[in-house]
Amino acid sequence: MDDVYAVIMAGGSGTRFWPLSRASWPKQFLALAGNGRSLLQQTVHRLAGIVPSERVLVVTSEKHADATREQLPELPRENVLAEPEGRNTAPYVAWGAAHVSARNPRGVMAVLPADPFIADEGAYRKVIDRALAAARDGGLITIGVSPTRAETGYGYIETGVELSPGLNRVQRFVEKPDAERAEAFLAAGNFLWNSGMFFFRADAVLAEFERQLPLLHEFATTCRTQLANGQSDIEYARSRYGSLTSISIDHGVMENARDIRVVPGSFGWYDIGSWTTAYELATKDAQGNTLLTEAALIDSENCYVRGEAGKLVALIGARDLVVVDTPDALLIMPRERAQDVKRVVESLKQKHLAKYL
Amino acid sequence: MDDVYAVIMAGGSGTRFWPLSRASWPKQFLALAGNGRSLLQQTVHRLAGIVPSERVLVVTSEKHADATREQLPELPRENVLAEPEGRNTAPYVAWGAAHVSARNPRGVMAVLPADPFIADEGAYRKVIDRALAAARDGGLITIGVSPTRAETGYGYIETGVELSPGLNRVQRFVEKPDAERAEAFLAAGNFLWNSGMFFFRADAVLAEFERQLPLLHEFATTCRTQLANGQSDIEYARSRYGSLTSISIDHGVMENARDIRVVPGSFGWYDIGSWTTAYELATKDAQGNTLLTEAALIDSENCYVRGEAGKLVALIGARDLVVVDTPDALLIMPRERAQDVKRVVESLKQKHLAKYL
């Protein structure tokens, strides 16, 4: 339908995939799923036939705007919205809504994180279609993923009554639980993973901004007016962005909105949150090794090795090891320590080794 | 004394220190002891005041001759003897003896491996002086190192009667023992490590070649005649080398010589035989880590890390790991697996990845 727009949230900082991700080259630019496309490219590509490129907007930081345009050359230049500084996700959505509204006040927005991995794209597209249809009716819609394990790394959505087939009222959003609660959620059967994907008409979400975050509503309205008059909003946005309310779209809008609905779905959704997930999603050989480089392994199992073209990585007696080699930095750790990559990044800041960040 | 010559045996192939050592850049060229000098340079430097450079000969392979001359620019060009192919150590000594004999038939030769590490150079020089003095009397002399542990990686020398202070008859040479025999040798007190350093007059060792290895004696005699006539022996050596008896100086000459004597010594002698030894000899920080590169370590202990200039190595939760990073090859293994580096090298040959050798 020609009223559908995508707003891709691409503001990642890239700490968890160091040294492949860097301050200048965050996670969304990486081909972590092993299909040759970056996560950002894959997120846009996945919308083929649903949202044409001229209606795909990407919100990213100023320092990543050029790389974003290079990764998505099919997008009109003005569709990349460059934030002068990070203010969490609610300003992304307000700014995106201004741009959509200027083009079509009743335009339907799919607000999507840039970096999930989705295994079953056919199933995903059906869920998207359902969410867009529900949003077109004026509601605020989210997608909830049917949990397959008691995951403590994701937020949850408790579902309420079924309004129509494949569409439930949202009872409440729940923060990341501890292991015991995660088990209870899985057993209860009416909890879904919060995918962070949101769908609404521009006028519907702007009404919620007006009610809940009036400063952001004022910002969006001014941008929309300038755009509707054929002007650029970038100078105004630059001057105001630093004073915008810094809050997530989840906390700032969705959790206290009047009428939130959820489309449940199962489409092999993964938040690639660490090298551990990257290993889990990757193709492995008979010894459980993922070798994304030329390699020579002796007695080594369940290792994830990423290297450089034209360079050999040799492992002897390695178990469950993550090795990520780049031209100027090399990371080696047991897979279970993937959460500690941020400690390396911290230590580099403290040691004034920022050139490696 | 001006009758003393050194013959350095520098024919190493460099398998055990891959990927820092390569087919084109074997162990003796590496600064493994961390003092900035390569093992070969250090071996020559250690003779300062005993053997001047014009009397230091180095036997190496043709493919390493240029690098050898670059590492030892103070040596006359003709002092680097380039073997057209490897025939073990007895031909080194025969060829070296020919060169020494052409200059001084009663010249005293110190035949030294290129690559030991010696911690106490003062003690070493005293032992060398004693060995050279004993060799000047016409005997075949070796240096035996007082063992400090039940090492199974070295050959041993059983000492016989003491002939004079610090000089014993050799009872017998013993191959690398198993752990039980090594313990017995250590307990017995009259066993020394075979350092592979030999001292004899050129005429004395040539007489032994004549008796035990007549083909090598003939080779040496022809070389000597050409050299004594002011000719080069290189064309003759090239034509004959491939047919020379391939045997070690230990097996071919020393073990069955008529009168072998040993100078016992303690001078911090190490055969740097693997990355494990390199770690043992290296300076460590409070966590037992040797970091020969820019590094960021989280919860990591007793690791040996060698990297490249301008590149960072980050380790998380690493214990007893060896990491050797070079521009085109990276090795990671537990320290105890150092002996398996040769398996990597073998596998590269089999996989036709010889460019990394």
Side-chain angles (χ1 to χ4, degrees):
Chain A
M1 311 284 270
D2 64 4
D3 62 345
V4 179
Y5 294 79
V7 176
I8 314 286
M9 299 184 287
S13 67
T15 303
R16 290 174 297 178
F17 289 91
W18 186 91
L20 196 63
S21 68
R22 300 296 175 100
S24 63
W25 198 251
K27 175 183 168 189
Q28 65 266 21
F29 295 150
L30 306 180
L32 287 174
N35 56 11
R37 287 200 184 92
S38 77
L39 296 173
L40 173 63
Q41 288 171 327
Q42 190 62 23
T43 291
V44 172
H45 185 260
R46 217 179 267 136
L47 299 171
I50 302 175
V51 191
S53 2
E54 66 269 20
R55 282 191 262 120
V56 174
L57 303 166
V58 180
V59 190
T60 188
S61 67
E62 270 184 3
K63 67 179 172 193
H64 301 138
D66 287 344
T68 299
R69 291 187 177 108
E70 275 168 37
Q71 287 222 331
L72 300 170
E74 70 276 25
L75 259 62
R77 183 178 170 77
E78 64 272 18
N79 281 22
V80 175
L81 309 186
E83 294 187 303
E85 62 183 279
R87 304 296 292 170
N88 211 327
T89 53
Y92 288 19
V93 178
W95 202 8
H99 277 253
V100 172
S101 179
R103 302 195 200 183
N104 179 350
R106 290 172 61 92
V108 181
M109 300 166 60
V111 175
L112 306 170
D115 54 10
F117 173 77
I118 285 163
D120 184 349
E121 299 210 344
Y124 171 75
R125 293 161 67 89
K126 285 181 188 155
V127 172
I128 290 274
D129 283 343
R130 185 170 295 154
L132 288 169
R136 192 169 286 117
D137 291 340
L140 275 61
I141 313 297
T142 184
I143 288 177
V145 175
S146 303
T148 54
R149 61 185 184 277
E151 173 65 51
T152 58
Y154 301 153
Y156 284 72
I157 296 167
E158 184 178 356
T159 60
V161 294
E162 189 173 58
L163 301 166
S164 63
L167 186 67
N168 288 67
R169 198 173 295 284
V170 169
Q171 190 67 28
R172 59 175 174 131
F173 289 89
V174 188
E175 300 277 342
K176 293 174 187 176
D178 60 20
E180 193 181 344
R181 294 186 74 209
E183 289 289 354
F185 293 168
L186 186 65
N190 64 328
F191 285 82
L192 302 168
W193 288 335
N194 182 353
S195 71
M197 303 182 199
F198 304 110
F199 304 81
F200 26 65
R201 287 206 322 252
D203 58 356
V205 76
L206 285 171
E208 282 294 339
F209 273 112
E210 185 167 23
R211 194 172 66 84
Q212 299 191 58
L213 296 166
L215 212 61
L216 282 177
H217 180 258
E218 185 202 323
F219 168 73
T221 306
T222 307
C223 289
R224 186 189 52 189
T225 305
Q226 297 195 334
L227 292 163
N229 291 338
Q231 300 169 328
S232 164
D233 63 345
I234 187 65
E235 287 311 315
Y236 169 72
R238 274 214 188 101
S239 70
R240 287 299 308 281
Y241 220 87
S243 64
L244 296 181
T245 315
S246 179
I247 192 168
S248 71
I249 184 69
D250 304 63
H251 286 315
V253 175
M254 299 303 284
E255 289 176 13
N256 295 301
R258 284 191 172 130
D259 182 18
I260 308 286
R261 301 167 187 197
V262 58
V263 178
S266 289
F267 39 85
W269 172 86
Y270 296 86
D271 175 24
I272 310 187
S274 71
W275 286 118
T276 307
T277 324
Y279 169 77
E280 286 163 0
L281 295 177
T283 307
K284 296 163 195 73
D285 67 17
Q287 285 73 46
N289 296 306
T290 294
L291 304 175
L292 304 168
T293 187
E294 196 143 57
L297 271 61
I298 306 281
D299 299 338
S300 294
E301 293 173 3
N302 304 326
C303 293
Y304 180 87
V305 182
R306 248 185 194 271
E308 301 171 60
K311 179 163 175 178
L312 180 85
V313 178
L315 302 182
I316 302 174
R319 299 273 181 283
D320 302 298
L321 216 58
V322 169
V323 177
V324 182
D325 190 26
T326 73
D328 71 339
L330 163 65
L331 170 69
I332 303 170
M333 65 180 175
R335 219 169 55 235
E336 62 178 20
R337 298 296 296 266
Q339 297 304 327
D340 288 326
V341 171
K342 60 181 181 293
R343 291 177 60 189
V344 172
V345 172
E346 269 314 304
S347 96
L348 295 181
K349 282 178 191 159
Q350 284 164 19
K351 284 184 183 166
H352 305 292
L353 293 172
K355 64 177 170 172
Y356 297 115
L357 292 174
Chain B
M1 312 283 271
D2 64 4
D3 63 344
V4 178
Y5 294 78
V7 176
I8 315 285
M9 299 183 287
S13 69
T15 302
R16 291 174 296 178
F17 288 91
W18 185 93
L20 196 63
S21 68
R22 300 295 175 100
S24 63
W25 198 252
K27 175 184 168 189
Q28 66 265 22
F29 295 149
L30 306 179
L32 287 173
N35 56 11
R37 287 201 184 93
S38 76
L39 296 175
L40 173 62
Q41 288 170 327
Q42 190 61 25
T43 291
V44 172
H45 186 261
R46 216 179 267 137
L47 298 171
I50 302 176
V51 191
S53 0
E54 65 268 21
R55 281 190 262 124
V56 174
L57 303 166
V58 179
V59 189
T60 188
S61 66
E62 269 183 3
K63 68 180 173 194
H64 301 138
D66 287 345
T68 299
R69 291 187 177 108
E70 275 169 37
Q71 288 222 332
L72 300 171
E74 70 276 25
L75 260 60
R77 185 178 167 78
E78 65 271 18
N79 280 21
V80 176
L81 308 186
E83 292 188 304
E85 62 183 280
R87 305 296 290 170
N88 211 327
T89 51
Y92 287 19
V93 178
W95 203 8
H99 277 254
V100 172
S101 178
R103 301 192 199 185
N104 178 350
R106 291 172 60 91
V108 181
M109 301 167 60
V111 175
L112 306 170
D115 54 11
F117 174 76
I118 286 164
D120 183 348
E121 300 210 347
Y124 171 74
R125 293 160 67 88
K126 284 181 189 154
V127 172
I128 290 272
D129 283 342
R130 186 171 294 155
L132 287 169
R136 191 169 288 116
D137 292 339
L140 275 62
I141 313 296
T142 183
I143 288 177
V145 175
S146 304
T148 53
R149 59 184 185 276
E151 173 66 50
T152 59
Y154 300 153
Y156 283 72
I157 296 167
E158 184 179 356
T159 58
V161 293
E162 188 174 57
L163 301 167
S164 62
L167 186 67
N168 289 67
R169 198 173 294 284
V170 169
Q171 188 70 27
R172 58 178 175 131
F173 289 89
V174 188
E175 299 277 342
K176 292 174 187 176
D178 60 19
E180 192 181 343
R181 292 187 73 210
E183 290 289 354
F185 292 168
L186 187 63
N190 63 328
F191 285 82
L192 302 168
W193 288 335
N194 182 353
S195 71
M197 302 181 200
F198 304 111
F199 303 81
F200 26 64
R201 286 206 323 250
D203 58 356
V205 76
L206 285 171
E208 281 295 339
F209 273 112
E210 184 167 22
R211 193 172 67 86
Q212 298 191 58
L213 295 166
L215 212 62
L216 283 177
H217 181 258
E218 185 202 323
F219 168 73
T221 306
T222 307
C223 288
R224 185 189 54 186
T225 304
Q226 297 193 334
L227 293 163
N229 291 337
Q231 299 169 331
S232 165
D233 63 345
I234 188 66
E235 287 310 316
Y236 169 72
R238 275 213 189 100
S239 70
R240 287 300 306 281
Y241 220 87
S243 64
L244 297 182
T245 314
S246 179
I247 192 168
S248 72
I249 183 69
D250 304 63
H251 287 315
V253 174
M254 298 304 282
E255 290 176 11
N256 295 300
R258 285 192 172 131
D259 183 19
I260 309 286
R261 302 167 187 196
V262 58
V263 177
S266 290
F267 39 84
W269 172 86
Y270 295 86
D271 176 23
I272 309 185
S274 72
W275 285 117
T276 307
T277 324
Y279 170 77
E280 286 164 1
L281 294 178
T283 307
K284 297 163 195 72
D285 66 16
Q287 286 72 47
N289 296 303
T290 294
L291 304 174
L292 304 168
T293 187
E294 196 143 59
L297 271 61
I298 307 279
D299 299 338
S300 295
E301 293 172 2
N302 304 326
C303 294
Y304 180 88
V305 182
R306 246 185 197 270
E308 301 170 61
K311 179 162 177 178
L312 180 84
V313 178
L315 301 183
I316 302 173
R319 297 275 181 284
D320 302 299
L321 216 58
V322 170
V323 177
V324 182
D325 191 25
T326 72
D328 71 340
L330 164 64
L331 169 69
I332 303 169
M333 65 179 176
R335 218 169 54 234
E336 61 179 20
R337 298 296 296 267
Q339 296 303 326
D340 288 326
V341 172
K342 60 180 182 292
R343 291 177 60 189
V344 171
V345 171
E346 269 314 303
S347 96
L348 295 180
K349 282 179 193 162
Q350 284 164 20
K351 283 183 183 168
H352 304 294
L353 293 171
K355 65 177 170 172
Y356 296 114
L357 292 176

